[in-house]
Amino acid sequence: MSQTLAGAPTLLRLAVRRDRWSIPAWLAVLTLVCGTSAAVTPGLYPTEADRVAAAAGLNASAGIVALYGPVLDPTSLGELAMTKMTVTYSVLVAVMTLFLVRRHTRSEEETGRAELLGGAGVGRLAPLVTALGLAAVVSALLGLLVAVTNALAGLPWTGSVAFGAAWAGTGLVGAAITAVCCQVSASARTCAGLAAAVLAVLFVARAAGDASGAEWLSWLSPFGWNTRLQAYGDTRWWVLGLYVALAVAAAAVAVALAARRDLGAGLLAPRPGPARGPGWLAGPLALGVRSHVAPLWGWTAAVALMGLLFGAISPNLDGILSDETERLLEGLGGTGALRDTMIASIASIAALIVCCFGITILTHAADDERDGRTEMVLSTRVTRARAYWSVVTLALGGVTWLLLVAGLALALGVRQGTDHSPARIVEAALGQAPAAWVTVAVGVLLFACRARWAVVGWGVLVAFGTLGQIGELLGLPDAALWLSPFTHVPHLPLEGADPVSTLALSGVAAALLGVGWWAYRGRDLA
Protein backbone atom coordinates (compact mmCIF):
# COMPACT_ATOMS: atom_id res chain seq x y z
CA MET A 1 0.00 0.00 0.00
CA SER A 2 1.38 3.40 -0.98
CA GLN A 3 2.13 6.06 1.60
CA THR A 4 -0.84 8.16 0.47
CA LEU A 5 -3.25 5.35 1.47
CA ALA A 6 -1.52 4.35 4.72
CA GLY A 7 -4.01 3.67 7.52
CA ALA A 8 -7.05 3.34 5.22
CA PRO A 9 -8.18 -0.06 6.61
CA THR A 10 -8.03 1.29 10.16
CA LEU A 11 -9.97 4.40 9.16
CA LEU A 12 -12.61 2.21 7.51
CA ARG A 13 -13.12 0.21 10.71
CA LEU A 14 -13.32 3.45 12.68
CA ALA A 15 -15.90 4.89 10.26
CA VAL A 16 -18.04 1.76 10.52
CA ARG A 17 -17.94 1.96 14.30
CA ARG A 18 -18.86 5.66 14.35
CA ASP A 19 -21.83 5.06 12.01
CA ARG A 20 -22.95 1.78 13.60
CA TRP A 21 -26.35 3.30 14.38
CA SER A 22 -27.00 5.72 11.51
CA ILE A 23 -26.16 3.28 8.69
CA PRO A 24 -28.55 0.53 9.89
CA ALA A 25 -31.26 3.18 10.35
CA TRP A 26 -30.87 4.39 6.76
CA LEU A 27 -30.84 0.82 5.42
CA ALA A 28 -33.85 -0.22 7.48
CA VAL A 29 -36.03 2.73 6.47
CA LEU A 30 -35.23 2.55 2.75
CA THR A 31 -35.67 -1.22 2.64
CA LEU A 32 -38.90 -1.05 4.63
CA VAL A 33 -40.41 1.55 2.30
CA CYS A 34 -39.57 -0.56 -0.76
CA GLY A 35 -40.83 -3.78 0.80
CA THR A 36 -44.11 -2.17 1.89
CA SER A 37 -44.80 -0.83 -1.60
CA ALA A 38 -43.96 -4.19 -3.17
CA ALA A 39 -46.26 -6.02 -0.74
CA VAL A 40 -49.38 -3.82 -1.01
CA THR A 41 -49.40 -3.06 -4.75
CA PRO A 42 -50.62 -6.52 -5.98
CA GLY A 43 -53.77 -6.11 -3.90
CA LEU A 44 -54.49 -2.70 -5.43
CA TYR A 45 -54.03 -3.85 -9.04
CA PRO A 46 -54.96 -7.55 -9.13
CA THR A 47 -55.35 -7.93 -12.92
CA GLU A 48 -53.24 -6.93 -15.90
CA ALA A 49 -56.07 -4.70 -17.13
CA ASP A 50 -55.95 -2.79 -13.83
CA ARG A 51 -52.20 -2.34 -14.17
CA VAL A 52 -52.45 -1.11 -17.76
CA ALA A 53 -55.18 1.37 -16.80
CA ALA A 54 -53.14 2.62 -13.84
CA ALA A 55 -49.99 3.01 -15.94
CA ALA A 56 -51.97 4.89 -18.58
CA GLY A 57 -53.31 7.22 -15.90
CA LEU A 58 -49.81 7.84 -14.54
CA ASN A 59 -48.27 8.46 -17.95
CA ALA A 60 -51.12 10.80 -18.94
CA SER A 61 -50.19 13.32 -16.24
CA ALA A 62 -47.13 15.42 -16.97
CA GLY A 63 -46.85 16.28 -13.27
CA ILE A 64 -46.74 12.63 -12.22
CA VAL A 65 -44.22 11.77 -14.94
CA ALA A 66 -42.03 14.71 -13.90
CA LEU A 67 -42.12 13.58 -10.28
CA TYR A 68 -41.97 9.78 -10.57
CA GLY A 69 -40.85 9.11 -14.14
CA PRO A 70 -42.84 7.22 -16.80
CA VAL A 71 -44.02 3.61 -16.53
CA LEU A 72 -42.34 2.13 -19.62
CA ASP A 73 -43.94 -1.34 -19.31
CA PRO A 74 -47.67 -0.92 -18.46
CA THR A 75 -48.14 -4.67 -17.90
CA SER A 76 -45.35 -4.96 -15.31
CA LEU A 77 -46.48 -5.22 -11.70
CA GLY A 78 -42.94 -4.49 -10.52
CA GLU A 79 -42.68 -1.22 -12.43
CA LEU A 80 -46.01 -0.11 -11.00
CA ALA A 81 -45.05 -1.12 -7.46
CA MET A 82 -41.72 0.73 -7.69
CA THR A 83 -43.10 3.84 -9.44
CA LYS A 84 -42.16 6.16 -6.57
CA MET A 85 -39.01 4.26 -5.61
CA THR A 86 -37.40 4.20 -9.05
CA VAL A 87 -36.67 7.91 -9.22
CA THR A 88 -38.10 9.96 -6.35
CA TYR A 89 -37.00 7.78 -3.45
CA SER A 90 -33.65 7.04 -5.09
CA VAL A 91 -32.77 10.67 -4.33
CA LEU A 92 -32.67 9.62 -0.67
CA VAL A 93 -30.07 6.98 -1.57
CA ALA A 94 -27.85 9.67 -3.09
CA VAL A 95 -28.41 11.89 -0.03
CA MET A 96 -27.41 9.01 2.25
CA THR A 97 -24.01 8.63 0.56
CA LEU A 98 -23.67 12.43 0.46
CA PHE A 99 -23.83 12.52 4.26
CA LEU A 100 -21.42 9.59 4.58
CA VAL A 101 -18.70 11.07 2.34
CA ARG A 102 -18.98 14.57 3.76
CA ARG A 103 -18.92 13.34 7.35
CA HIS A 104 -15.69 11.38 6.88
CA THR A 105 -13.86 13.96 4.77
CA ARG A 106 -14.61 17.69 5.05
CA SER A 107 -16.23 17.50 8.48
CA GLU A 108 -13.13 15.72 9.78
CA GLU A 109 -10.91 18.45 8.34
CA GLU A 110 -12.96 21.21 9.99
CA THR A 111 -12.73 19.60 13.41
CA GLY A 112 -8.96 19.15 13.09
CA ARG A 113 -9.12 15.38 13.45
CA ALA A 114 -7.87 14.86 9.88
CA GLU A 115 -4.74 16.90 10.64
CA LEU A 116 -4.23 14.97 13.87
CA LEU A 117 -4.50 11.63 12.06
CA GLY A 118 -2.17 12.89 9.33
CA GLY A 119 0.45 13.56 11.97
CA ALA A 120 0.08 9.96 13.15
CA GLY A 121 1.04 8.49 9.78
CA VAL A 122 -2.34 8.32 8.01
CA GLY A 123 -1.88 8.88 4.29
CA ARG A 124 -3.05 12.01 2.54
CA LEU A 125 -5.70 10.27 0.43
CA ALA A 126 -6.70 7.67 3.01
CA PRO A 127 -9.73 9.60 4.40
CA LEU A 128 -11.21 10.22 0.94
CA VAL A 129 -10.66 6.65 -0.25
CA THR A 130 -12.07 5.35 3.05
CA ALA A 131 -15.22 7.47 2.71
CA LEU A 132 -15.75 6.34 -0.88
CA GLY A 133 -15.15 2.72 0.12
CA LEU A 134 -17.64 2.96 2.98
CA ALA A 135 -20.25 4.54 0.69
CA ALA A 136 -19.69 1.78 -1.89
CA VAL A 137 -20.12 -0.98 0.70
CA VAL A 138 -23.26 0.61 2.14
CA SER A 139 -24.73 1.14 -1.36
CA ALA A 140 -24.06 -2.48 -2.30
CA LEU A 141 -25.60 -3.70 0.96
CA LEU A 142 -28.67 -1.54 0.38
CA GLY A 143 -29.05 -2.91 -3.14
CA LEU A 144 -28.84 -6.47 -1.84
CA LEU A 145 -31.38 -5.86 0.95
CA VAL A 146 -33.82 -4.15 -1.41
CA ALA A 147 -33.51 -6.94 -3.98
CA VAL A 148 -34.16 -9.69 -1.43
CA THR A 149 -37.02 -7.76 0.22
CA ASN A 150 -38.80 -7.05 -3.06
CA ALA A 151 -38.43 -10.65 -4.17
CA LEU A 152 -39.77 -11.98 -0.87
CA ALA A 153 -42.69 -9.54 -1.19
CA GLY A 154 -43.72 -11.24 -4.44
CA LEU A 155 -41.90 -9.39 -7.22
CA PRO A 156 -39.73 -11.28 -9.78
CA TRP A 157 -36.19 -12.11 -8.64
CA THR A 158 -34.48 -10.90 -11.82
CA GLY A 159 -36.23 -7.53 -11.74
CA SER A 160 -35.57 -7.16 -8.02
CA VAL A 161 -31.84 -7.74 -8.52
CA ALA A 162 -31.78 -5.15 -11.32
CA PHE A 163 -33.71 -2.66 -9.19
CA GLY A 164 -31.36 -3.16 -6.23
CA ALA A 165 -28.37 -2.70 -8.53
CA ALA A 166 -29.87 0.58 -9.79
CA TRP A 167 -30.17 1.89 -6.24
CA ALA A 168 -26.62 0.78 -5.49
CA GLY A 169 -25.45 2.60 -8.61
CA THR A 170 -27.31 5.74 -7.55
CA GLY A 171 -25.54 5.58 -4.19
CA LEU A 172 -22.14 5.26 -5.89
CA VAL A 173 -22.82 8.26 -8.11
CA GLY A 174 -24.01 10.35 -5.15
CA ALA A 175 -20.84 9.49 -3.20
CA ALA A 176 -18.52 10.32 -6.10
CA ILE A 177 -20.24 13.66 -6.81
CA THR A 178 -19.96 14.58 -3.13
CA ALA A 179 -16.27 13.66 -3.16
CA VAL A 180 -15.67 16.17 -5.95
CA CYS A 181 -17.69 18.84 -4.13
CA CYS A 182 -15.58 18.24 -1.02
CA GLN A 183 -12.48 19.27 -2.96
CA VAL A 184 -14.14 22.36 -4.45
CA SER A 185 -15.83 23.69 -1.31
CA ALA A 186 -14.14 25.60 1.48
CA SER A 187 -16.33 24.17 4.27
CA ALA A 188 -18.51 21.19 5.09
CA ARG A 189 -21.66 23.29 4.88
CA THR A 190 -20.77 24.61 1.44
CA CYS A 191 -19.93 21.09 0.34
CA ALA A 192 -23.38 19.81 1.35
CA GLY A 193 -25.11 22.70 -0.40
CA LEU A 194 -23.09 22.29 -3.58
CA ALA A 195 -23.61 18.51 -3.72
CA ALA A 196 -27.34 18.92 -3.06
CA ALA A 197 -27.52 21.53 -5.83
CA VAL A 198 -25.84 19.16 -8.29
CA LEU A 199 -28.28 16.37 -7.38
CA ALA A 200 -31.19 18.81 -7.74
CA VAL A 201 -30.00 19.83 -11.22
CA LEU A 202 -29.72 16.17 -12.24
CA PHE A 203 -33.24 15.48 -10.93
CA VAL A 204 -34.69 18.52 -12.72
CA ALA A 205 -32.96 17.51 -15.96
CA ARG A 206 -34.51 14.06 -15.67
CA ALA A 207 -37.94 15.53 -14.84
CA ALA A 208 -37.81 17.93 -17.79
CA GLY A 209 -36.75 15.16 -20.13
CA ASP A 210 -39.45 12.73 -18.99
CA ALA A 211 -42.25 15.32 -18.94
CA SER A 212 -41.37 16.84 -22.33
CA GLY A 213 -40.56 13.60 -24.12
CA ALA A 214 -36.94 14.71 -24.75
CA GLU A 215 -35.34 11.38 -23.84
CA TRP A 216 -31.82 12.65 -24.51
CA LEU A 217 -32.25 14.96 -21.51
CA SER A 218 -33.26 12.04 -19.28
CA TRP A 219 -30.23 10.08 -20.42
CA LEU A 220 -27.98 12.88 -19.09
CA SER A 221 -29.11 12.18 -15.51
CA PRO A 222 -28.42 9.09 -13.37
CA PHE A 223 -31.98 9.42 -12.07
CA GLY A 224 -33.17 8.98 -15.65
CA TRP A 225 -31.09 5.81 -15.95
CA ASN A 226 -33.12 4.28 -13.10
CA THR A 227 -36.21 4.35 -15.32
CA ARG A 228 -34.43 3.45 -18.57
CA LEU A 229 -32.97 0.34 -16.95
CA GLN A 230 -36.53 -1.14 -16.97
CA ALA A 231 -35.74 -3.39 -14.02
CA TYR A 232 -39.09 -5.19 -14.06
CA GLY A 233 -39.61 -5.12 -17.84
CA ASP A 234 -37.22 -5.82 -20.70
CA THR A 235 -34.16 -5.16 -18.52
CA ARG A 236 -31.27 -3.24 -20.10
CA TRP A 237 -28.39 -4.58 -18.02
CA TRP A 238 -25.83 -2.46 -19.87
CA VAL A 239 -27.29 0.67 -18.22
CA LEU A 240 -25.66 -0.42 -14.95
CA GLY A 241 -22.30 0.27 -16.58
CA LEU A 242 -23.21 3.97 -16.82
CA TYR A 243 -23.38 4.26 -13.02
CA VAL A 244 -19.99 2.61 -12.64
CA ALA A 245 -18.39 4.71 -15.38
CA LEU A 246 -19.66 8.00 -13.94
CA ALA A 247 -18.78 7.05 -10.36
CA VAL A 248 -15.25 5.97 -11.29
CA ALA A 249 -14.66 9.10 -13.37
CA ALA A 250 -15.92 11.44 -10.63
CA ALA A 251 -13.95 9.57 -7.94
CA ALA A 252 -10.78 9.84 -10.06
CA VAL A 253 -11.32 13.60 -10.39
CA ALA A 254 -11.83 13.88 -6.63
CA VAL A 255 -8.63 11.95 -5.89
CA ALA A 256 -6.66 14.08 -8.34
CA LEU A 257 -7.96 17.30 -6.79
CA ALA A 258 -7.39 16.05 -3.23
CA ALA A 259 -3.73 15.36 -4.02
CA ARG A 260 -3.21 18.98 -5.03
CA ARG A 261 -5.11 21.09 -2.51
CA ASP A 262 -4.18 22.15 1.01
CA LEU A 263 -5.77 20.39 3.96
CA GLY A 264 -8.82 22.34 5.15
CA ALA A 265 -8.98 24.49 2.01
CA GLY A 266 -11.07 24.23 -1.14
CA LEU A 267 -10.49 25.14 -4.77
CA LEU A 268 -13.05 27.93 -4.29
CA ALA A 269 -11.71 30.27 -1.59
CA PRO A 270 -14.36 31.80 0.72
CA ARG A 271 -15.04 35.50 0.29
CA PRO A 272 -14.07 37.61 3.32
CA GLY A 273 -16.97 39.45 4.91
CA PRO A 274 -17.06 43.17 5.72
CA ALA A 275 -14.97 44.37 8.64
CA ARG A 276 -18.08 45.63 10.50
CA GLY A 277 -21.60 44.24 10.41
CA PRO A 278 -24.83 46.27 10.31
CA GLY A 279 -26.55 47.18 13.55
CA TRP A 280 -29.49 44.81 13.02
CA LEU A 281 -27.05 41.89 13.13
CA ALA A 282 -26.24 42.48 16.80
CA GLY A 283 -28.65 39.91 18.30
CA PRO A 284 -28.30 36.09 18.25
CA LEU A 285 -31.62 35.65 16.42
CA ALA A 286 -30.56 38.05 13.64
CA LEU A 287 -27.22 36.26 13.42
CA GLY A 288 -29.02 32.92 13.12
CA VAL A 289 -31.34 34.26 10.41
CA ARG A 290 -28.34 35.69 8.53
CA SER A 291 -26.56 32.32 8.72
CA HIS A 292 -29.55 30.31 7.47
CA VAL A 293 -31.25 32.73 5.08
CA ALA A 294 -29.72 31.14 1.97
CA PRO A 295 -30.69 27.55 2.94
CA LEU A 296 -34.15 28.81 3.95
CA TRP A 297 -34.73 30.30 0.50
CA GLY A 298 -33.62 27.02 -1.04
CA TRP A 299 -36.00 25.08 1.20
CA THR A 300 -38.80 27.53 0.36
CA ALA A 301 -38.31 27.03 -3.38
CA ALA A 302 -38.13 23.25 -3.02
CA VAL A 303 -41.25 23.04 -0.82
CA ALA A 304 -43.18 25.34 -3.16
CA LEU A 305 -42.23 23.18 -6.15
CA MET A 306 -43.24 20.04 -4.27
CA GLY A 307 -46.63 21.55 -3.36
CA LEU A 308 -47.29 22.61 -6.94
CA LEU A 309 -46.37 19.20 -8.33
CA PHE A 310 -48.42 17.20 -5.83
CA GLY A 311 -51.30 19.63 -6.18
CA ALA A 312 -51.29 19.23 -9.95
CA ILE A 313 -51.27 15.44 -9.55
CA SER A 314 -54.19 15.07 -7.15
CA PRO A 315 -57.02 15.89 -9.64
CA ASN A 316 -55.79 13.02 -11.90
CA LEU A 317 -56.13 10.28 -9.32
CA ASP A 318 -59.28 8.77 -10.77
CA GLY A 319 -57.46 7.20 -13.71
CA ILE A 320 -54.78 5.34 -11.78
CA LEU A 321 -56.93 3.23 -9.46
CA SER A 322 -58.36 -0.18 -10.17
CA ASP A 323 -62.14 -0.57 -10.47
CA GLU A 324 -62.23 -2.49 -7.21
CA THR A 325 -60.33 0.24 -5.34
CA GLU A 326 -62.53 2.97 -6.81
CA ARG A 327 -65.69 1.13 -5.71
CA LEU A 328 -64.24 0.76 -2.23
CA LEU A 329 -63.40 4.47 -2.01
CA GLU A 330 -66.77 5.48 -3.43
CA GLY A 331 -68.35 3.51 -0.63
CA LEU A 332 -66.28 5.45 1.85
CA GLY A 333 -67.27 8.84 0.48
CA GLY A 334 -66.75 9.03 -3.27
CA THR A 335 -63.96 10.43 -5.41
CA GLY A 336 -64.18 13.73 -3.58
CA ALA A 337 -63.13 11.87 -0.45
CA LEU A 338 -60.31 10.32 -2.45
CA ARG A 339 -58.93 13.74 -3.36
CA ASP A 340 -59.33 14.91 0.23
CA THR A 341 -57.41 11.85 1.36
CA MET A 342 -54.67 12.65 -1.12
CA ILE A 343 -54.43 16.26 0.10
CA ALA A 344 -54.31 15.11 3.71
CA SER A 345 -51.54 12.63 2.87
CA ILE A 346 -49.54 15.28 1.01
CA ALA A 347 -49.87 17.65 3.98
CA SER A 348 -48.59 14.99 6.39
CA ILE A 349 -45.65 14.16 4.11
CA ALA A 350 -44.85 17.87 3.76
CA ALA A 351 -44.81 18.15 7.56
CA LEU A 352 -42.24 15.36 7.79
CA ILE A 353 -40.07 16.96 5.13
CA VAL A 354 -40.08 20.44 6.68
CA CYS A 355 -39.16 18.92 10.05
CA CYS A 356 -35.81 18.17 8.42
CA PHE A 357 -35.18 21.92 8.27
CA GLY A 358 -35.84 22.22 12.01
CA ILE A 359 -33.49 19.36 12.83
CA THR A 360 -30.85 20.91 10.56
CA ILE A 361 -31.03 24.14 12.58
CA LEU A 362 -30.38 22.14 15.76
CA THR A 363 -27.43 20.20 14.33
CA HIS A 364 -25.91 23.47 13.09
CA ALA A 365 -26.33 24.94 16.57
CA ALA A 366 -24.54 21.89 17.95
CA ASP A 367 -21.71 22.42 15.43
CA ASP A 368 -21.45 26.08 16.45
CA GLU A 369 -21.16 25.01 20.07
CA ARG A 370 -18.56 22.34 19.32
CA ASP A 371 -16.44 24.71 17.19
CA GLY A 372 -16.48 27.47 19.80
CA ARG A 373 -18.68 29.97 17.94
CA THR A 374 -21.42 29.81 20.57
CA GLU A 375 -18.86 30.52 23.29
CA MET A 376 -17.72 33.61 21.38
CA VAL A 377 -21.32 34.86 21.16
CA LEU A 378 -21.94 34.22 24.86
CA SER A 379 -18.75 36.10 25.76
CA THR A 380 -20.55 39.29 24.70
CA ARG A 381 -23.67 40.74 26.36
CA VAL A 382 -25.82 37.95 24.90
CA THR A 383 -27.38 35.84 27.65
CA ARG A 384 -27.74 32.09 27.54
CA ALA A 385 -31.52 32.49 27.45
CA ARG A 386 -31.38 34.63 24.30
CA ALA A 387 -29.06 32.14 22.63
CA TYR A 388 -31.34 29.18 23.47
CA TRP A 389 -34.62 30.80 22.49
CA SER A 390 -33.09 32.17 19.29
CA VAL A 391 -32.35 28.60 18.18
CA VAL A 392 -35.87 27.54 19.19
CA THR A 393 -37.48 30.47 17.35
CA LEU A 394 -35.48 29.84 14.21
CA ALA A 395 -36.26 26.09 14.17
CA LEU A 396 -40.00 26.34 14.92
CA GLY A 397 -40.49 29.52 12.91
CA GLY A 398 -38.78 28.01 9.88
CA VAL A 399 -40.93 24.86 10.09
CA THR A 400 -44.14 26.92 10.33
CA TRP A 401 -43.12 29.15 7.41
CA LEU A 402 -42.35 26.14 5.21
CA LEU A 403 -45.69 24.53 6.05
CA LEU A 404 -47.45 27.75 5.04
CA VAL A 405 -45.55 27.79 1.73
CA ALA A 406 -46.40 24.12 1.14
CA GLY A 407 -50.09 24.81 1.79
CA LEU A 408 -50.20 27.83 -0.54
CA ALA A 409 -48.38 25.97 -3.32
CA LEU A 410 -50.58 22.90 -2.88
CA ALA A 411 -53.71 25.07 -3.04
CA LEU A 412 -52.43 26.72 -6.21
CA GLY A 413 -51.75 23.35 -7.85
CA VAL A 414 -55.04 21.76 -6.80
CA ARG A 415 -57.07 24.74 -7.93
CA GLN A 416 -56.08 24.01 -11.52
CA GLY A 417 -58.41 21.02 -11.66
CA THR A 418 -60.92 21.09 -8.79
CA ASP A 419 -63.12 23.41 -6.81
CA HIS A 420 -61.38 22.85 -3.47
CA SER A 421 -61.23 25.90 -1.21
CA PRO A 422 -57.66 27.31 -1.05
CA ALA A 423 -58.18 28.30 2.58
CA ARG A 424 -59.18 24.73 3.43
CA ILE A 425 -56.05 23.32 1.76
CA VAL A 426 -53.76 25.82 3.52
CA GLU A 427 -55.49 24.89 6.78
CA ALA A 428 -54.72 21.22 6.04
CA ALA A 429 -51.00 22.01 5.79
CA LEU A 430 -50.90 24.26 8.86
CA GLY A 431 -52.95 21.67 10.78
CA GLN A 432 -49.82 19.50 10.78
CA ALA A 433 -47.81 22.23 12.54
CA PRO A 434 -48.42 21.04 16.15
CA ALA A 435 -47.07 17.57 15.30
CA ALA A 436 -44.07 19.14 13.59
CA TRP A 437 -43.49 21.37 16.64
CA VAL A 438 -43.49 18.34 18.95
CA THR A 439 -40.99 16.53 16.70
CA VAL A 440 -38.63 19.52 16.59
CA ALA A 441 -39.14 20.15 20.32
CA VAL A 442 -37.90 16.63 21.08
CA GLY A 443 -34.79 17.50 19.06
CA VAL A 444 -34.45 20.76 21.00
CA LEU A 445 -34.61 18.82 24.28
CA LEU A 446 -31.88 16.46 23.08
CA PHE A 447 -29.70 19.41 22.03
CA ALA A 448 -30.37 21.16 25.33
CA CYS A 449 -29.27 18.13 27.34
CA ARG A 450 -26.12 17.62 25.30
CA ALA A 451 -25.08 19.27 22.04
CA ARG A 452 -23.86 16.04 20.45
CA TRP A 453 -27.28 14.46 21.05
CA ALA A 454 -28.88 16.85 18.54
CA VAL A 455 -28.14 14.39 15.74
CA VAL A 456 -30.45 11.87 17.46
CA GLY A 457 -33.26 14.17 16.34
CA TRP A 458 -32.96 12.56 12.88
CA GLY A 459 -33.75 9.19 14.43
CA VAL A 460 -36.73 10.66 16.27
CA LEU A 461 -38.04 12.11 13.01
CA VAL A 462 -37.64 8.77 11.22
CA ALA A 463 -39.39 6.92 14.06
CA PHE A 464 -42.31 9.38 14.21
CA GLY A 465 -42.64 9.37 10.43
CA THR A 466 -42.59 5.59 10.17
CA LEU A 467 -45.22 5.19 12.89
CA GLY A 468 -47.41 7.93 11.44
CA GLN A 469 -47.19 6.99 7.76
CA ILE A 470 -46.96 3.20 7.55
CA GLY A 471 -47.49 2.05 11.12
CA GLU A 472 -50.99 0.77 10.37
CA LEU A 473 -49.83 -1.02 7.22
CA LEU A 474 -47.22 -2.81 9.32
CA GLY A 475 -49.89 -3.90 11.78
CA LEU A 476 -48.22 -2.19 14.73
CA PRO A 477 -50.27 -1.98 17.93
CA ASP A 478 -52.18 1.20 18.76
CA ALA A 479 -49.88 1.88 21.70
CA ALA A 480 -46.93 2.19 19.30
CA LEU A 481 -48.86 4.38 16.84
CA TRP A 482 -49.93 6.62 19.73
CA LEU A 483 -46.28 7.60 20.32
CA SER A 484 -46.10 9.53 17.05
CA PRO A 485 -47.56 13.06 17.19
CA PHE A 486 -48.52 12.73 13.52
CA THR A 487 -51.20 10.16 14.45
CA HIS A 488 -52.98 12.75 16.63
CA VAL A 489 -53.45 15.60 14.13
CA PRO A 490 -56.75 15.75 12.17
CA HIS A 491 -56.60 14.67 8.52
CA LEU A 492 -57.81 17.93 6.98
CA PRO A 493 -59.74 18.41 4.70
CA LEU A 494 -60.99 14.80 5.01
CA GLU A 495 -61.90 15.40 8.65
CA GLY A 496 -62.91 18.44 10.62
CA ALA A 497 -60.54 20.48 12.77
CA ASP A 498 -59.82 19.15 16.26
CA PRO A 499 -58.96 21.99 18.68
CA VAL A 500 -58.37 19.52 21.54
CA SER A 501 -55.57 17.64 19.81
CA THR A 502 -54.10 20.90 18.49
CA LEU A 503 -53.95 22.41 21.98
CA ALA A 504 -52.68 19.18 23.52
CA LEU A 505 -49.82 18.81 21.00
CA SER A 506 -48.94 22.50 21.34
CA GLY A 507 -48.85 22.06 25.11
CA VAL A 508 -46.55 19.05 24.80
CA ALA A 509 -44.23 21.03 22.54
CA ALA A 510 -44.19 23.95 25.00
CA ALA A 511 -43.45 21.59 27.90
CA LEU A 512 -40.57 19.98 26.02
CA LEU A 513 -39.11 23.40 25.24
CA GLY A 514 -39.45 24.42 28.89
CA VAL A 515 -37.68 21.30 30.12
CA GLY A 516 -35.07 21.90 27.45
CA TRP A 517 -34.40 25.39 28.75
CA TRP A 518 -34.05 24.01 32.27
CA ALA A 519 -31.47 21.50 31.02
CA TYR A 520 -29.62 24.00 28.79
CA ARG A 521 -29.20 26.67 31.45
CA GLY A 522 -27.47 24.25 33.82
CA ARG A 523 -25.08 22.35 31.57
CA ASP A 524 -21.58 23.15 30.36
CA LEU A 525 -21.01 24.05 26.74
CA ALA A 526 -19.50 21.33 24.59
Side-chain angles (χ1 to χ4, degrees):
M1 182 177 294
S2 66
Q3 285 297 107
T4 57
L5 296 180
T10 304
L11 282 183
L12 182 59
R13 290 195 295 272
L14 177 62
V16 171
R17 177 173 175 74
R18 291 178 62 195
D19 292 334
R20 62 188 182 281
W21 298 113
S22 60
I23 289 176
W26 274 100
L27 297 180
V29 170
L30 291 172
T31 304
L32 185 63
V33 170
C34 264
T36 303
S37 181
V40 303
T41 301
L44 296 175
Y45 307 100
T47 66
E48 183 173 307
D50 291 332
R51 294 194 289 272
V52 171
L58 291 168
N59 290 333
S61 171
I64 294 178
V65 172
L67 189 62
Y68 298 148
V71 180
L72 297 182
D73 185 352
T75 63
S76 171
L77 177 63
E79 279 214 29
L80 200 58
M82 293 295 111
T83 299
K84 295 180 182 177
M85 315 301 152
T86 303
V87 175
T88 309
Y89 280 60
S90 69
V91 175
L92 297 178
V93 179
V95 171
M96 175 187 70
T97 54
L98 185 159
F99 280 126
L100 283 176
V101 173
R102 188 191 73 143
R103 171 176 165 82
H104 295 290
T105 52
R106 288 314 301 250
S107 296
E108 290 294 275
E109 293 182 25
E110 284 195 358
T111 59
R113 284 193 288 265
E115 186 176 8
L116 187 64
L117 291 172
V122 172
R124 180 183 183 85
L125 298 179
L128 176 60
V129 173
T130 298
L132 288 172
L134 177 65
V137 171
V138 173
S139 298
L141 186 57
L142 174 63
L144 178 63
L145 289 172
V146 167
V148 172
T149 303
N150 284 3
L152 293 178
L155 298 183
W157 271 100
T158 303
S160 298
V161 170
F163 182 84
W167 265 28
T170 305
L172 288 177
V173 170
I177 289 174
T178 306
V180 175
C181 294
C182 286
Q183 316 313 315
V184 175
S185 310
S187 69
R189 289 187 186 184
T190 309
C191 166
L194 184 60
V198 173
L199 294 178
V201 169
L202 293 175
F203 185 87
V204 171
R206 193 280 316 161
D210 287 346
S212 65
E215 286 201 25
W216 64 271
L217 202 54
S218 300
W219 280 106
L220 294 179
S221 169
F223 298 116
W225 303 343
N226 292 11
T227 305
R228 266 63 194 176
L229 176 64
Q230 291 188 252
Y232 290 99
D234 185 12
T235 307
R236 302 166 172 168
W237 292 100
W238 59 269
V239 174
L240 296 175
L242 297 177
Y243 299 104
V244 178
L246 178 57
V248 170
V253 171
V255 170
L257 295 177
R260 289 167 173 79
R261 70 174 176 89
D262 293 333
L263 189 68
L267 297 181
L268 297 178
R271 294 182 305 171
R276 298 182 63 84
W280 61 267
L281 205 56
L285 179 59
L287 182 60
V289 172
R290 176 66 180 83
S291 300
H292 294 91
V293 67
L296 182 58
W297 280 121
W299 273 89
T300 300
V303 168
L305 181 61
M306 180 193 70
L308 284 172
L309 280 175
F310 278 114
I313 289 171
S314 60
N316 300 316
L317 282 175
D318 301 347
I320 65 175
L321 297 175
S322 65
D323 295 339
E324 183 179 350
T325 306
E326 282 192 2
R327 284 194 296 273
L328 175 63
L329 290 169
E330 285 174 359
L332 294 173
T335 53
L338 172 61
R339 295 193 187 94
D340 288 348
T341 303
M342 180 67 174
I343 293 171
S345 300
I346 295 170
S348 64
I349 293 172
L352 286 173
I353 293 174
V354 303
C355 280
C356 295
F357 176 80
I359 302 299
T360 301
I361 295 295
L362 301 177
T363 54
H364 282 180
D367 291 342
D368 288 342
E369 188 173 327
R370 182 198 61 202
D371 296 338
R373 289 186 286 269
T374 302
E375 186 175 6
M376 292 175 62
V377 171
L378 292 177
S379 65
T380 64
R381 289 181 296 177
V382 174
T383 64
R384 183 170 286 211
R386 289 182 66 192
Y388 172 80
W389 291 109
S390 296
V391 173
V392 171
T393 303
L394 193 57
L396 296 186
V399 165
T400 308
W401 160 254
L402 292 175
L403 277 175
L404 176 62
V405 171
L408 291 172
L410 182 60
L412 184 61
V414 171
R415 284 290 292 175
Q416 296 173 359
T418 70
D419 56 353
H420 278 80
S421 165
R424 187 70 170 159
I425 295 174
V426 174
E427 184 185 11
L430 291 178
Q432 300 286 328
W437 293 341
V438 171
T439 305
V440 176
V442 174
V444 170
L445 178 59
L446 291 166
F447 162 73
C449 292
R450 202 166 185 176
R452 62 188 303 182
W453 289 358
V455 72
V456 182
W458 292 111
V460 174
L461 175 59
V462 170
F464 285 173
T466 303
L467 292 173
Q469 294 295 323
I470 59 175
E472 291 186 1
L473 290 176
L474 297 176
L476 297 178
D478 291 341
L481 302 180
W482 186 86
L483 295 175
S484 172
F486 294 99
T487 61
H488 300 289
V489 291
H491 298 289
L492 298 169
L494 187 64
E495 303 173 350
D498 186 357
V500 175
S501 66
T502 300
L503 290 174
L505 288 172
S506 301
V508 170
L512 289 170
L513 296 177
V515 175
W517 163 237
W518 176 80
Y520 185 77
R521 66 184 296 190
R523 74 166 171 86
D524 294 331
L525 295 181

